[in-house]
Amino acid sequence: MTEWDEMDLLLGDAEEMSWQERALCAQTDPEAFFPEKGGSTREAKRVCLGCDVRSECLEYALEHDERFGIWGGLSERERRKLKKRAV
């Protein structure tokens, strides 16, 4: 790996983190985004509705196959349905 490759990786990580740092959930109780099975997702989804990086969050979750929690305003089940429709 060259120095340029390493720099690209670092810059990529910095860009990826920038949306996460701007996310409203970063300023909220994280437990709301990972409710117990059968628990309410309402509070987390309400936060997501007002979040400027909602689409980046959802894209990240879909690309990284996040299986738990609320990402981009969608539950794991909702993300699975979205993926199925896209195929």
Side-chain angles (χ1 to χ4, degrees), residues 41-53:
T41 61
R42 191 174 295 129
E43 181 185 340
K45 288 181 175 186
R46 189 176 307 127
V47 171
C48 292
L49 281 175
C51 187
D52 292 338
V53 295

Side-chain angles (χ1 to χ4, degrees), residues 5-83:
D5 291 332
E6 290 177 25
M7 189 178 297
D8 285 344
L9 283 174
L10 290 173
L11 289 174
D13 288 346
E15 287 174 9
E16 189 172 286
M17 290 305 293
S18 67
W19 73 261
Q20 293 173 343
E21 291 169 352
R22 295 189 332 260
L24 290 179
C25 61
Q27 305 160 30
T28 312
D29 180 11
E31 289 189 26
F33 295 87
F34 296 92
E36 299 274 332
K37 187 171 184 162
S40 176
T41 61
R42 191 174 295 129
E43 181 185 340
K45 288 181 175 186
R46 189 176 307 127
V47 171
C48 292
L49 281 175
C51 187
D52 292 338
V53 295
R54 183 176 175 189
S55 60
E56 290 94 329
C57 180
L58 179 57
E59 184 178 324
Y60 176 89
L62 294 171
E63 286 177 5
H64 292 88
D65 198 27
E66 289 290 344
R67 295 176 188 241
F68 301 99
I70 305 302
W71 292 81
L74 299 181
S75 68
E76 193 272 335
R77 178 180 292 150
E78 293 165 328
R79 291 190 304 275
R80 240 189 349 242
K81 287 181 184 177
L82 183 65
K83 275 184 140 176

